[in-house]
Amino acid sequence: MSPKDKNSASTSSGNRSPHHNLKNIPAEWSERVTPLERTLVPKFAARAYHLPGNSLCADWLQYMLNNHPVIGICCHHRLHPLKTRQRCIIFLGSFAFGVAITNICYLWFISTGRDAEQEVFSIDLNAQESAHYSVTAGLVMLVTVGSGIHTIFDRFVWSVSACRCCRAGGTFESNSINSPNRSRWQDFGTYLVVLLVALVIAAATFIVILRAKMDGEGQTEIPYIQDNNTTLTDIVDSVKDFELEDFSFMKAYCIEFAVSLFVYYPFFDTVLFSGVLGCFRLPLLGGRPYEVRKEEKKNNGKSGTRRVSALEMA
């Protein structure tokens, strides 16, 4: 090889993208998307408990800052696929869905003639009457069915909006990059979530109006659904007669929602983070210890492969 050819080869090697081995990914995109993004973005989208190289405290802090519905709006990592605007939409949808499911449970008790205040069991901490806590059927319904459906909705909206498939490090990253509508593919989940949240807000507004109308008039049948004599026009016209006191149940819900966000959420997510529920080994409940063990096994496998290749080459 002539000196000129050697110089040309070294120049082309020096200009080669550090990600030239990634298939179907243009060079300009490989230079723009760093290996750090391909590592962190999928983990952020999956709500990972552990990030490579993080200590226990650093992992807990990043998990809370990136995943908390309120704190995450301002404190999420700059590479997180969910930005401030998307998080605000998700938070609004979560609040509206919580309003809807809470009032649906309330309307179900009224329409079926069941007593939501019926005591299911009680807790006595001591002999004093002030230490007697009664757990009602309505509370059991909200904690089990209501909270379960609400959690499923929140996780579904999060997964659709984050949609790691077409983002950096995702399964279809190269396909979305080669597409002329790259940004649309990556933001498709966001558009879908906006539509879903709009429908949820509309449904929650309608349910709140129904409850306010029933509470104000003392009805035991759901207007328009069970009471066929009531039309949608009658329900809309009744809004102008409502007073602020008719929506007093919304004040109670706002307090419950705030307590769940800043008390229950950190507590239960810390329990999941610890991996206690999954004995530190189960995929879904193993928490951070499971992910750390999985990462170590992956790294050991890669190092083992490199050692074999080196021996074969020798």
Side-chain angles (χ1 to χ4, degrees):
M1 182 182 294
S2 64
K4 182 177 181 181
D5 294 337
K6 290 182 179 180
N7 186 29
S8 175
S10 62
T11 303
S12 62
S13 177
N15 294 334
R16 182 180 296 174
S17 169
H19 312 297
H20 65 276
N21 58 329
L22 296 174
K23 298 179 179 179
N24 302 325
I25 296 182
E28 63 272 14
W29 180 264
S30 297
E31 293 173 357
R32 188 149 47 97
V33 180
T34 64
L36 181 64
E37 290 181 74
R38 290 198 173 92
T39 300
L40 294 184
V41 170
K43 289 185 175 293
F44 285 145
R47 303 170 67 100
Y49 298 111
H50 173 64
L51 298 182
N54 271 10
S55 63
L56 175 64
C57 295
D59 275 333
W60 183 87
L61 185 61
Q62 70 81 18
Y63 181 79
M64 288 297 170
L65 293 181
N66 285 311
N67 298 308
H68 193 278
V70 177
I71 299 176
I73 293 176
C74 301
C75 301
H76 60 273
H77 193 277
R78 62 181 180 85
L79 296 180
H80 202 289
L82 294 183
K83 307 305 180 184
T84 300
R85 184 179 301 178
Q86 296 168 286
R87 289 173 180 270
C88 290
I89 294 173
I90 293 175
F91 176 76
L92 185 61
S94 178
F95 180 83
F97 190 86
V99 170
I101 197 66
T102 300
N103 287 284
I104 286 175
C105 293
Y106 173 82
L107 295 177
W108 180 79
F109 275 103
I110 293 180
S111 62
T112 56
R114 291 178 171 84
D115 184 12
E117 300 299 324
Q118 180 181 359
E119 183 178 277
V120 178
F121 63 91
S122 60
I123 301 175
D124 294 318
L125 299 180
N126 52 43
Q128 299 179 0
E129 295 182 359
S130 59
H132 178 82
Y133 297 95
S134 177
V135 178
T136 64
L139 180 61
V140 172
M141 170 72 81
L142 289 176
V143 171
T144 55
V145 178
S147 298
I149 297 177
H150 195 176
T151 301
I152 293 174
F153 173 82
D154 286 346
R155 292 304 173 96
F156 173 76
V157 169
W158 175 283
S159 300
V160 171
S161 188
C163 190
R164 57 178 176 170
C165 297
C166 298
R167 300 184 185 274
T171 306
F172 304 108
E173 177 191 7
S174 61
N175 295 334
S176 65
I177 289 171
N178 293 327
S179 172
N181 299 319
R182 180 179 64 209
S183 60
R184 294 183 181 179
W185 279 113
Q186 291 182 347
D187 296 334
F188 175 77
T190 301
Y191 300 142
L192 184 61
V193 167
V194 170
L195 175 61
L196 180 60
V197 169
L199 294 176
V200 169
I201 292 175
T205 302
F206 179 72
I207 293 171
V208 167
I209 293 175
L210 284 183
R211 176 169 178 178
K213 181 177 177 61
M214 293 180 66
D215 289 349
E217 299 178 2
Q219 297 181 6
T220 57
E221 293 184 346
I222 303 177
Y224 184 72
I225 297 177
Q226 291 182 315
D227 185 5
N228 297 327
N229 296 325
T230 304
T231 63
L232 287 176
T233 304
D234 296 333
I235 296 175
V236 174
D237 292 340
S238 64
V239 174
K240 60 184 179 181
D241 298 328
F242 288 154
E243 298 180 357
L244 187 61
E245 296 179 355
D246 295 329
F247 297 96
S248 59
F249 59 90
M250 286 297 299
K251 298 178 183 178
Y253 174 76
C254 289
I255 295 174
E256 294 174 5
F257 191 68
V259 172
S260 67
L261 285 176
F262 296 103
V263 178
Y264 296 142
Y265 185 94
F267 173 76
F268 287 110
D269 268 42
T270 300
V271 173
L272 292 174
F273 176 87
S274 68
V276 175
L277 299 179
C279 299
F280 313 109
R281 294 183 177 276
L282 297 181
L284 295 178
L285 300 175
R288 181 182 182 273
Y290 171 79
E291 294 188 2
V292 171
R293 187 178 292 107
K294 184 178 179 180
E295 181 186 5
E296 291 176 351
K297 183 182 296 185
K298 182 179 178 180
N299 292 337
N300 291 336
K302 287 184 177 180
S303 61
T305 303
R306 286 196 295 270
R307 284 194 296 269
V308 172
S309 299
L311 289 174
E312 290 177 352
M313 292 178 63

